Each structure stands twice: as C-alpha cells, then as structure tokens.
Amino acid sequence: MKKKVSIKDIAAQLNISITTVSLILNGKSKQVGLSEAQTERVLKYVEEIGYKPNMLAKSLRTGKTKIICLLIEDIADPFFSTVAAHVEELLNQHGYKIIYGSTKNQTAKAIELIDLFRDRHVDGFIICPPEGLESDITGLLNERIPLVLFDRYYKTIDTDTVIVDNLESACKAVNYLIEHNYKNIGFVTLDSEQTQMQDRLQGYEKAITDHGFTSYIKKLSFSKVNQTGIDDIVQFLTENPQIDALFFGTNYLTLKGIEALDRLELSIPGNMGVISFDDHDVFKLFKPGITAMAQPISQISEQMVNLLLEQIDSTEADRKRKKIIVPAIIRIRQSSVTKTDN
Amino acid sequence: MKKKVSIKDIAAQLNISITTVSLILNGKSKQVGLSEAQTERVLKYVEEIGYKPNMLAKSLRTGKTKIICLLIEDIADPFFSTVAAHVEELLNQHGYKIIYGSTKNQTAKAIELIDLFRDRHVDGFIICPPEGLESDITGLLNERIPLVLFDRYYKTIDTDTVIVDNLESACKAVNYLIEHNYKNIGFVTLDSEQTQMQDRLQGYEKAITDHGFTSYIKKLSFSKVNQTGIDDIVQFLTENPQIDALFFGTNYLTLKGIEALDRLELSIPGNMGVISFDDHDVFKLFKPGITAMAQPISQISEQMVNLLLEQIDSTEADRKRKKIIVPAIIRIRQSSVTKTDN
DNA sequence: TCTTGCTACGCAAACGATGTAGTAAATTAT
DNA sequence: ATAATTTACTACATCGTTTGCGTAGCAAGA
C-alpha cells in the first residue's frame, strides 16, 4: 500500500542533503564530523518511519551483496543439508546471507549455477565440486572471487579447501572391522575420480594389504545408485559369498547396502559386519545400530566459513591458500561389527 | 583479471548508442524497428566477448529480481528439503532462482528472514509459516508481494495456500489401525495451535469417537522434541499401558516413538501398531517397515509454484485467492500395523 | 517546395544508494 | 584585522541498466 521510501524522501522531509542522511546511516557521522543533534534527528526519523535502504542500489554502488553462495551436491541429503544449516548459522552471525544450489553432482548443472550466482554478484562461494569444474573454478579465482572448496578438491588447482582425512579414516574403519575378526571385507564405493572417493579407496586398500587380505571392490555409478544400487550390491555379494563384512564409501550407499542385506536375509553383524563412511541420523535407529566414520560437520562448517571470511577481509594480493584437514570421528554403535559366530 | 565489461563498453566498441544495445539484448529490436544487420552485429559481438548484464543494475531499474524466497521449517528435515528440491527445479524452469531460509518454526527467526528477503527485493515468497506471523504476512499482502503459504495457514488471513487434507488423512490413518484390530490408539502430536496439527488432531478424534473408543493424546513441545521427546513418549506409554497402537503427528515424532518403543522393548506390530503422518525415506528400511500417510511432495510443490506464478503474472488488482487441498497418500508397509496376537 | 510518414536510431532521466571533493560559516591563530 | 583552521554540511558524479521521448534522414504525396 504505502509507497517505498528512499533516502531522497528522508532528505527532503528533514530538509537536509542526501549525503548527510547516507553518512549518518552508515555510522560515519563522527568520522566526518556531523553534529550530534543532526545525527540523532535523522536516526530518530528513520526509525520512526521504518526506513530500510534498498540493497540493490547499495550493492550496485558498493559492489558488495553480503550474500554467499553455497553449492552442494543435494540439499535433500542429510550431510549436505546439515552443512547448509551450520554454514547459514555461522554466516548469518557475520551479516551474510546464503543462497544455495544443488548440483546433483552434475558438471553442467554446477557450471550453470556458478554462472548464475556470479551474475548475481555474490560475495563468495563455498563449493562441493563435481568432476570437471576445473576451468570454472580457475575462472572464479582469476576474478578474485572468494572461494572455498570442501569435501573434495582438484589436485591441479591451488584453492582454499576443507576436507576430512579420508584415507586415514577409511583405513581406520577397515581396521576396526579387522579387529573384530572379519577377514573378507568388501568395499562398496562410487565409480568416481573425485579425491574423497579415491582417498577412501586407498585407505581401504592400505588396510587390506597391511593385513595381507584380499580386496573386494564394487564401484557403483553415482547416477544409478537409486535405480540399480540394491541389485548391484546383491549381485556383488552373490558373486563373492566369502565376504563377511562391508565397508561403504558413503552413507547413502550404506542405506542401499542395508536393503540388499535385507533382501539376501543376511543379518548384521552375524552374517555381515557393516561400517559406513559418513554418518546418518537414522543409523542409530537401526537394530543393530550402524557404526560409522562421521564427518564432524560443525567443525567443517566453521573452518569453511573462517577461510571464506579470511579471503573476503584479506587485502594482500597473494594470500597463501590453505588446505584444512579435519579428522573424522568413529561412532561405534553396539554390535554392527561384532561377529557372533566367533 | 579481465575487467567487467558493461553495456556502455559494448556501445562504445560498436559505435552505437547504449539504448540500441539494450534494446537488442532485450529482444525488442523487432518491436522498435532496429535493422537486422545491426541486431546481428550486436548479438554476435556480445556472444563473442561473453558479456553478461549486471543483474543488480537491471533489478534496480526494473524492480524485478527473478528470485523467489522459500521459507521452511528446517532445510535438514527430509520433507522440507525435498520440497525445496522440487520447488527449485520447477522455478528454475521459469527462470527463477530460489533463496531459502530455515525458520526452525520460530516466529522471531521467520520475521527476520522475511524482512531480510523483502529487503533483497525477492519477487515472491513461498512460506511454511510458524505461529504468530499474521501481521507480517498481512504486510506482504499489502505490499502486493506474491505469496503462497503451505503446510499450514492462518484462518484469519485470506492467502493462496497449499495443504494436504490433514483431517481426512489423519482419520484414515487411525481407521487403518482400527481395521487391523487395534483398540486403544494413542496420538502423539505437537503442542501446537497450527492448523495442520489441529486438523490432524481432529481427524484422530473423529475416528476415535466414530468407533466409540477412548482417546489417548500426548502433546510434545516442538522445541523440546529432540531433548525429552523419547522420555515423554516412554512416560506416556508407561502411564497408559493399555495403549496398543500409536499414531504419530509427524515423521520426526515417529522416529522418537520408535526409539521409545525400543527402550520399552515393545515390538512393532506385535506389542504396538504404528502409523506415521508424513513419510520418511528410512521408514521403508526399518523392520518392519513403518506405514505412513505421505504428503505428495511433487504435487504440493507444483501447486505452490503455479499459484505463485499466477500471482506474479496476474494484472488484475483483485485476483481471487485460492486454497488448494491435495490428498495425502497412505503408504502401507508390511506388518507395521498387523497385530500378531490376534 | 513543403509537409507527412517511415525507418533506425540516440539523449538523458530515472532506479537508490555511496563517496569524493568542495564550501560557507564560525572559530581560532597571528 | 586578516589568514588559517575547524565545523557541519552539500553538490555532483557514479554504479549499469531501462525507457520515454526525440530526431535525423529519406522517400513519397500534395
């Protein structure tokens, strides 16, 4: 109903210049020596009519939007949505808003989204990058747009990055199974070149070879997990009946695995030990609970936000880029890895 | 590295006026009678240098941002995150981006977010409103900002709304339990005045009184579900040992309930029938699977987007507001409601 | 020759803020 | 008394677009 009021209207109403109002509104009145009285008068009036500056105009002029873009795999995935919640919370505290996009791990979608948000002049990006985004990331870097990668990174590009110690954690997870007397441990992972999956694979292989065991690896295609994932795992287990424990590369693979075990009427942990990379809210609800290597989401989020703010605030032309590795945490849940027939 | 190029630079390069470039870029060249040759030349050059118009300037001038705000309870909740994914998808198809916020069902947070995004000049809102937002919603309405509510609404305000038939569906859910010979059916819900919960309560009560049964109702406080939810349900069941089936008002209450039953060593469905309002990805993974009244998320999302776009495109001053009610779907999963001792 | 009517474009004022450079008046220094 | 400094503001250009109005050039009709 009521017309939008601009800084100009305020100036007119109070019979002073636009500049004065702007200065006062931006807390520069002391700095430039505006009188107490004037300052108070303006502030009071502004408060009274509930004036809100037009952010678009402000952004156009200053080049800052106070918006950060968070690009994740899928906002419906509990890991990412929790990260989103944390990052939102943290950035809000610093006066930033976040706008997110789900890449579905598709290169094309990610490129599109980056372009979109860059066009919107976001002040920075936090990205969980799919494969093949090297040139776009380099583009952002060249334009000096603050940027943090997480969960995975590109070996060929020097970026600020936050990840977990995938290799060590995967190794630990497998060792945990080995300690519990499992001897034929399969690894269900994604058919992906991305660093996090590669590192987890290496961690698995290290643990297996350290103990002189045989490795059984099943790689699923990311895009087909939801359609054929269960069948693929069933087939994997049928072809390798000696497998007595499974290590899953991510939480949604674990969920598929549980369904597969169900179908094969294999019980956990009697017939099959299970451990998951990435925790999931519901793992504790299963009977038995599913043991998992959990990524410390709040820590990851904090580190990302810190790195990003550092970049935004940094004036140095060549700030050194940082790679932060946080340790994953094993969440042991009773009996998902206790072999009963032992 | 390379400087941002503006429409002015293009005009200078091609030795034509800014107006001409702008007109061509906005597809108005035919309309205002610009020559084919000129149009082609500009388009070609623009393509060549990869020029992207500054959205901030554009928005400032036109008053449109092509951004929609989606305000939900919690982006980490699977119902809402799935809605978010759908809405994002649909709106993208119409050239809109979405920016979301999680209200955590807190009035203050919601108000803050609405203000924030209104300041950002979003072109419209889709809101799942917490209690006590009446005046803010009315504010948006008065400013003629396109707006759709979902999941719940205010009886006192006439808004475009999309909800499920909570009363009927709740009634059906309880009847489903009754059909399976359960006789003492408890309802675990939230202590909330919101329409969706009130309607579900009424649906429960209708089913119960229709059959001349006794009602057992436990209302939990939303903010304390995560801390004391399980204990509260345990207590509820301990105080009412005759209860042989539970109907849960939302999916996260069901999850708490499952933990409570676990603690009490009550089996589903032998000791306790269970049915949930709102489905959850993991309900099918439990043994036995949990039967649920599912909200048809894609339908809901579609309706919301349609209503919103209708408002945005509408020129009539007084377009009639619509309330759309979509039916929930029962997803029967074997045996979560089959009483074995019968 | 002079209007009229096209065609094909350009000028300049917004949109709503910021920030640099300036100025008039009052005060202080010399 | 005059110059210098300080105080308290203000004018104006600018950010990158869109858009209403104008107009130059030319052909055709009167």
Side-chain angles (χ1 to χ4, degrees):
Chain A
M1 267 353 181
K2 48 182 181 182
K3 262 260 302 286
K4 269 277 174 196
V5 16
S6 82
I7 200 171
K8 194 192 294 184
D9 304 320
I10 296 177
Q13 267 302 313
L14 298 180
N15 259 313
I16 53 179
S17 82
I18 294 180
T19 307
T20 304
V21 180
S22 173
L23 255 17
I24 290 175
L25 253 27
N26 289 34
K28 303 239 176 77
S29 54
K30 277 265 132 70
Q31 209 180 114
V32 300
L34 289 175
S35 71
E36 279 285 322
Q38 189 73 286
T39 304
E40 296 258 306
R41 190 166 76 110
V42 172
L43 253 24
K44 178 152 169 288
Y45 182 71
V46 161
E47 162 83 3
E48 214 173 283
I49 63 169
Y51 161 80
K52 296 288 188 64
N54 182 324
M55 291 309 199
L56 293 172
K58 195 168 191 154
S59 295
L60 175 59
R61 188 63 237 258
T62 61
K64 305 274 146 215
T65 51
K66 286 286 177 180
I67 294 181
I68 300 296
C69 169
L70 177 64
L71 229 53
I72 57 194
E73 221 173 71
D74 187 355
I75 192 65
D77 177 293
F79 170 67
F80 290 109
S81 59
T82 312
V83 167
H86 278 259
V87 170
E88 183 181 7
E89 171 76 21
L90 291 169
L91 283 176
N92 276 346
Q93 290 169 15
H94 292 268
Y96 287 94
K97 273 86 248 169
I98 95 171
I99 182 164
Y100 77 93
S102 300
T103 64
K104 309 279 178 187
N105 225 8
Q106 291 164 22
T107 311
K109 189 129 205 271
I111 293 177
E112 201 184 311
L113 287 167
I114 289 181
D115 276 1
L116 226 51
F117 292 133
R118 193 198 358 220
D119 284 359
R120 247 78 191 184
H121 294 242
V122 299
D123 285 351
F125 283 90
I126 296 179
I127 302 179
C128 171
E131 297 181 34
L133 229 63
E134 285 86 348
S135 69
D136 305 82
I137 297 292
T138 308
L140 293 178
L141 252 28
N142 284 342
E143 291 187 46
R144 296 281 135 86
I145 299 177
L147 166 71
V148 175
L149 300 188
F150 79 104
D151 196 56
R152 56 199 82 159
Y153 59 98
Y154 299 111
K155 289 185 179 138
T156 52
I157 315 180
D158 183 29
T159 51
D160 275 31
T161 309
V162 179
I163 50 170
V164 293
D165 54 345
N166 288 292
L167 197 154
E168 292 75 12
S169 301
C171 189
K172 269 186 211 159
V174 177
N175 279 331
Y176 186 76
L177 286 170
I178 293 173
E179 282 163 25
H180 285 78
N181 284 320
Y182 293 97
K183 302 207 184 317
N184 290 287
I185 301 169
F187 181 37
V188 178
T189 183
L190 294 175
D191 182 13
S192 160
E193 292 300 314
Q194 298 186 94
T195 54
Q196 85 283 16
M197 298 322 279
Q198 289 298 315
D199 289 349
R200 289 172 200 178
L201 176 60
Q202 282 180 35
Y204 164 79
E205 284 176 333
K206 178 169 187 314
I208 293 296
T209 46
D210 278 0
H211 290 82
F213 290 171
T214 316
S215 71
Y216 306 91
I217 298 170
K218 179 66 183 178
K219 294 184 177 181
L220 305 185
S221 134
F222 178 86
S223 55
K224 291 190 198 140
V225 167
N226 274 320
Q227 293 96 294
T228 68
I230 299 172
D231 294 336
D232 292 342
I233 297 172
V234 165
Q235 193 195 342
F236 175 53
L237 290 175
T238 312
E239 286 169 0
N240 300 280
Q242 65 276 46
I243 291 179
D244 61 358
L246 284 174
F247 172 43
F248 292 94
T250 92
N251 53 9
Y252 49 87
L253 290 175
T254 308
L255 290 178
K256 293 297 166 193
I258 289 171
E259 287 198 75
L261 292 177
D262 211 46
R263 198 179 293 173
L264 290 167
E265 300 194 331
L266 291 171
S267 75
I268 306 171
N271 303 124
M272 191 68 67
V274 166
I275 195 163
S276 171
F277 206 108
D278 274 4
D279 199 3
H280 194 297
D281 278 350
V282 302
F283 285 173
K284 67 170 185 290
L285 301 179
F286 286 113
K287 305 184 71 167
I290 305 298
T291 294
M293 287 300 308
Q295 306 206 40
I297 296 186
S298 69
Q299 249 189 74
I300 293 175
S301 309
E302 263 176 54
Q303 297 285 9
M304 297 196 295
V305 169
N306 287 344
L307 283 184
L308 194 73
L309 293 176
E310 239 179 67
Q311 285 183 57
I312 292 176
D313 298 338
S314 161
T315 50
E316 325 166 40
D318 281 299
R319 174 177 155 287
K320 182 126 178 58
R321 305 230 166 87
K322 299 182 187 169
K323 226 166 275 318
I324 293 182
I325 300 173
V326 301
I329 303 156
I330 190 160
R331 283 219 254 276
I332 296 167
R333 298 209 171 87
Q334 276 320 312
S335 71
S336 85
V337 287
T338 311
K339 210 170 174 183
T340 51
D341 56 311
N342 230 15
Chain B
M1 273 341 185
K2 48 184 181 181
K3 262 257 306 285
K4 268 280 175 193
V5 16
S6 82
I7 200 171
K8 194 191 295 182
D9 304 318
I10 296 178
Q13 267 302 312
L14 298 179
N15 259 312
I16 53 179
S17 82
I18 293 178
T19 307
T20 305
V21 180
S22 173
L23 255 20
I24 291 174
L25 253 26
N26 289 27
K28 302 240 176 78
S29 54
K30 278 262 133 70
Q31 210 180 114
V32 299
L34 289 176
S35 71
E36 279 284 323
Q38 189 73 284
T39 305
E40 296 258 307
R41 191 167 73 110
V42 171
L43 253 24
K44 179 154 168 288
Y45 181 72
V46 160
E47 163 83 4
E48 217 173 279
I49 62 167
Y51 161 79
K52 297 288 189 62
N54 182 323
M55 291 309 202
L56 292 173
K58 195 169 191 152
S59 296
L60 174 59
R61 186 62 234 255
T62 62
K64 304 275 145 211
T65 52
K66 287 284 179 182
I67 294 181
I68 300 296
C69 168
L70 177 63
L71 229 53
I72 58 195
E73 221 173 73
D74 187 356
I75 193 64
D77 178 293
F79 170 67
F80 290 110
S81 59
T82 311
V83 167
H86 279 259
V87 169
E88 183 181 7
E89 171 76 22
L90 291 169
L91 283 176
N92 276 346
Q93 289 170 15
H94 292 268
Y96 287 93
K97 273 87 247 168
I98 95 171
I99 183 166
Y100 78 92
S102 301
T103 64
K104 308 281 178 183
N105 225 7
Q106 291 164 24
T107 311
K109 191 131 203 271
I111 293 176
E112 199 184 313
L113 286 166
I114 290 180
D115 277 1
L116 225 51
F117 292 133
R118 195 202 353 224
D119 284 359
R120 246 80 191 184
H121 294 239
V122 298
D123 285 351
F125 283 90
I126 296 180
I127 301 179
C128 171
E131 298 181 33
L133 230 62
E134 286 86 348
S135 68
D136 304 82
I137 297 293
T138 309
L140 293 177
L141 252 28
N142 284 343
E143 290 187 49
R144 296 281 135 88
I145 299 177
L147 167 71
V148 175
L149 299 188
F150 79 103
D151 196 58
R152 57 199 81 158
Y153 60 97
Y154 299 110
K155 291 186 178 138
T156 51
I157 316 181
D158 184 30
T159 50
D160 275 31
T161 309
V162 179
I163 49 169
V164 293
D165 56 343
N166 288 292
L167 198 153
E168 293 75 11
S169 300
C171 190
K172 269 186 212 160
V174 176
N175 279 330
Y176 186 76
L177 287 170
I178 292 173
E179 282 162 26
H180 284 77
N181 283 320
Y182 294 96
K183 303 209 183 316
N184 290 287
I185 301 169
F187 181 37
V188 178
T189 183
L190 294 175
D191 181 14
S192 159
E193 293 300 314
Q194 298 185 96
T195 53
Q196 86 282 16
M197 299 321 280
Q198 288 299 316
D199 290 350
R200 289 172 199 176
L201 177 59
Q202 280 181 34
Y204 164 80
E205 283 176 334
K206 177 169 187 316
I208 293 296
T209 46
D210 278 359
H211 291 82
F213 289 170
T214 316
S215 70
Y216 307 89
I217 298 169
K218 179 66 185 178
K219 296 183 175 180
L220 305 184
S221 135
F222 178 85
S223 54
K224 291 192 199 140
V225 167
N226 275 319
Q227 292 96 293
T228 67
I230 300 172
D231 294 336
D232 291 343
I233 297 172
V234 165
Q235 192 195 344
F236 175 53
L237 290 174
T238 311
E239 284 170 1
N240 300 280
Q242 65 276 47
I243 290 179
D244 61 359
L246 284 174
F247 171 44
F248 292 95
T250 92
N251 52 9
Y252 49 87
L253 290 175
T254 307
L255 291 178
K256 292 299 166 192
I258 289 171
E259 287 198 75
L261 292 177
D262 211 45
R263 196 178 295 174
L264 289 167
E265 300 193 331
L266 291 171
S267 75
I268 305 171
N271 303 124
M272 190 70 65
V274 166
I275 194 163
S276 171
F277 207 109
D278 276 5
D279 199 3
H280 193 296
D281 279 350
V282 302
F283 285 172
K284 66 171 183 293
L285 301 179
F286 286 112
K287 304 185 67 166
I290 304 296
T291 294
M293 287 300 309
Q295 306 207 40
I297 296 185
S298 69
Q299 250 190 74
I300 293 175
S301 309
E302 265 175 54
Q303 297 285 10
M304 296 196 295
V305 169
N306 287 344
L307 284 184
L308 194 72
L309 293 175
E310 239 179 67
Q311 286 183 56
I312 291 176
D313 298 339
S314 162
T315 51
E316 325 166 40
D318 281 299
R319 173 177 156 288
K320 181 126 178 60
R321 306 229 166 88
K322 299 181 186 169
K323 225 165 277 311
I324 293 181
I325 299 173
V326 302
I329 303 156
I330 189 161
R331 281 217 256 274
I332 296 167
R333 299 208 171 87
Q334 277 320 313
S335 71
S336 86
V337 288
T338 312
K339 210 170 175 183
T340 52
D341 56 311
N342 230 16

